[in-house]
Amino acid sequence: MADITHLPMEQLQDLEYCIDSNPPWHSETVLLAFQNYILVLGTSVMIPSLLVPAMGGNDLNHCSLDKCDHCISLNFGLEDLLGGTCHMGDKIRVIQTLLFVAGINTLLQALFGTRLPAVVGGSFAYLIPMVYIISDSSLQRISEPHERFIHTMRAIQGALIVASSIQIILGYSQVWGLFSRFFSPLGMAPVVGLVGLGLFQRGFPALGNCVEIGIPMLLLVIGVSQYLKHVRPLKELPVFERFPVLICVTIVWIYALILTASGAYRGRSTPTQNSCRTDKANLISSAPWFKFPYPLQWGPPTFSAGHSFAMMSAVLVSMIEINDSTGAYKAASRLAIATPPPAYVLSRGIGWQGIGILLDGLFGTCTGSTVSVENVGLLGLTRVGSRRVVQISAGFMIFFAMLGKFGAVFASIPFPIFAALYCVLFGLVASVGLSFLQFTNMNSMRNLFITGLSLFLGISVPQFFNEYWVPNRHGLVNTNAGWFNALLNTIFSSPATVGLIVAVFLDNTLEVEKAKKDRGMPWWVKFRTFRGDNRNEEFYTLPFNLNKFFPPT
């Protein structure tokens, strides 16, 4: 029996760099940071590609008819843009803004929030409220597409600004930290697992849109990161283990360019061409050489009570999916060899997340912020959980968001390449979540019941809601109150949210006192407070001696 026993371990042992250790600058850090930047491009391009056309925005630069030749000769001079005669491509402008704000939010969260090595980017959790706002009859009555796009963007900005107050209040008032007292390893394992498993639609179904580049990418990532990780062309640097994303994306991207140039997709259907070709995104041609995103660049936000209530549902969902104890941050802490974030750090992170959503509203990113699950998975794939790497990657996001042409080159990578990466990275995050079950008694029927039901309903219920959403875009809940529809459809379309509701409710109502040890509470309880474990100070203390002014509570 002793030969097959694996004792529970608080921290993963086979990671190379933890949260506060740093790879060498000259050989690893910068390339690892650039690898994080490349990975965040998938979501940053996909969300605007879905929403901007529906808002009335366009892919290409355009001018009013009487000024078109003049604009082209000036290459879209500033005076023409300000005068309203010429417009840079709306999609690339939103992508640049989203990346710019993602860089700022990532830096703020890594410095002053949870301090975990997690990239903060755009969130799909906001998709349903966004569609509700876009479908508003008052906006749909605007006939000119670009004018409708501007008014819709302003409405989204207003809703994000109001909705951000929820996270700011819940975070800095410590309310969310108090709610975390109901969490346990048993309750959190299926929630964190569903953060990865619940994103399955962005994995192989998206890869299948172009199998000729998606399948080779998937096989190459597995081969390079797992079977070649011990091969060292450079004696002191495990190239294949550290940079699998850069190596595989480069190879398959060149392969996709060859297929496109050779006419392999000539005569194929439009969806196939959009997924496979490297020249269909219209990003490089419409991107400016330099553009500095700034607050209120789309004009003053507009405010509507219905829009704001709908957006608040997405804020609540994103809190569950990304907050430190219940989602990607929990996985990030484990993959960075850090302790589970205590309630104080959890609340601090939620507060800064609210400020991040406020910035999304002020700049106009077309969506709210969340932690990038794929970048959390990358920590495990590369075995590097360094905070510095993520901070430098934030610099890449800001830099390439301003240098439009250069950033657009990387943003034109076909999405099935990213989908292949997601298959590996989302699965890795899911398995990290399930690893918390090692601190519980899985020979208990009570624990097996809670875990199984949480996982099953966490996948099954959102799938049921999505079946109604896909064909008609109004969801299962379809009353006369649009904001109420968006609220319920958003909550029950989120696997992590459904899993949290089921797991936490059952775990705190079924034989609670009798099962305290089986739930893993003896191990969990010391991480509830900042002073509960000496390592918390090493991992989560604020920089610049700010803890003197903001002491842990």
Side-chain angles (χ1 to χ4, degrees), residues 249-536:
V249 167
T250 300
I251 293 172
V252 179
W253 192 15
I254 292 173
Y255 170 58
L257 283 167
I258 294 171
L259 289 177
T260 301
S262 64
Y265 303 112
R266 199 171 294 128
R268 302 284 291 274
S269 65
T270 300
T272 299
Q273 294 203 39
N274 288 338
S275 297
C276 300
R277 294 181 66 98
T278 58
D279 57 357
K280 293 295 285 186
N282 295 325
L283 297 179
I284 300 174
S285 60
S286 59
W289 284 104
F290 179 84
K291 175 69 178 178
F292 186 81
Y294 55 91
L296 307 182
Q297 59 186 337
W298 311 102
T302 57
F303 298 91
S304 163
H307 295 168
S308 299
F309 277 116
M311 197 66 70
M312 286 178 184
S313 64
V315 170
L316 291 171
V317 167
S318 71
M319 283 174 62
I320 292 166
E321 290 182 347
I322 59 91
N323 92 53
D324 313 19
S325 285
T326 58
Y329 277 153
K330 175 62 69 177
S333 67
R334 188 152 178 78
L335 290 171
I337 322 180
T339 54
Y344 164 73
V345 176
L346 165 63
S347 296
R348 193 173 72 193
I350 290 298
W352 278 103
Q353 187 67 31
I355 291 175
I357 296 172
L358 177 63
L359 291 175
D360 288 324
L362 290 173
F363 278 83
T365 62
C366 192
T367 187
S369 294
T370 187
V371 167
S372 170
V373 178
E374 53 268 34
N375 287 83
V376 172
L378 187 62
L379 303 178
L381 191 67
T382 60
R383 300 202 304 153
V384 177
S386 170
R387 182 190 295 125
R388 178 184 289 174
V389 168
V390 168
Q391 290 170 339
I392 296 172
S393 74
F396 277 117
M397 292 179 222
I398 295 170
F399 178 75
F400 283 112
M402 292 187 293
L403 296 180
K405 291 287 186 188
F406 294 100
V409 170
F410 300 116
S412 63
I413 299 171
F415 189 74
I417 292 179
F418 291 105
L421 290 169
Y422 296 162
C423 290
V424 175
L425 300 174
F426 292 163
L428 185 55
V429 171
S431 65
V432 170
L434 296 179
S435 73
F436 286 104
L437 292 174
Q438 68 182 301
F439 305 109
T440 69
N441 177 15
M442 291 312 290
N443 292 313
S444 162
M445 281 305 303
R446 171 193 181 275
N447 290 0
L448 291 172
F449 176 82
I450 293 173
T451 303
L453 188 63
S454 302
L455 285 171
F456 187 83
L457 291 181
I459 294 174
S460 184
V461 171
Q463 180 64 23
F464 177 65
F465 271 74
N466 288 334
E467 285 177 2
Y468 281 83
W469 169 258
V470 171
N472 49 38
R473 291 292 188 269
H474 63 59
L476 179 65
V477 181
N478 187 28
T479 66
N480 291 328
W483 65 269
F484 180 74
N485 302 340
L487 178 71
L488 290 186
N489 286 323
T490 300
I491 290 173
F492 290 105
S493 295
S494 165
T497 308
V498 175
L500 181 83
I501 293 170
V502 176
V504 173
F505 175 78
L506 293 176
D507 192 35
N508 286 276
T509 56
L510 288 177
E511 304 173 344
V512 181
E513 289 302 319
K514 182 181 174 184
K516 185 174 289 187
K517 190 174 181 181
D518 290 347
R519 299 168 63 204
M521 293 308 293
W523 172 76
W524 185 268
V525 70
K526 66 180 178 180
F527 300 118
R528 281 182 171 176
T529 62
F530 193 83
R531 307 293 182 195
D533 191 289
N534 292 331
R535 293 167 295 179
N536 288 340

Side-chain angles (χ1 to χ4, degrees), residues 177-214:
L178 294 173
F179 179 67
S180 69
R181 294 177 61 84
F182 295 102
F183 302 157
S184 73
L186 180 68
M188 290 303 98
V191 174
V192 181
L194 286 166
V195 166
L197 294 176
L199 297 172
F200 68 91
Q201 290 289 357
R202 288 163 59 191
F204 205 88
L207 179 157
N209 291 330
C210 188
V211 292
E212 48 265 61
I213 61 175

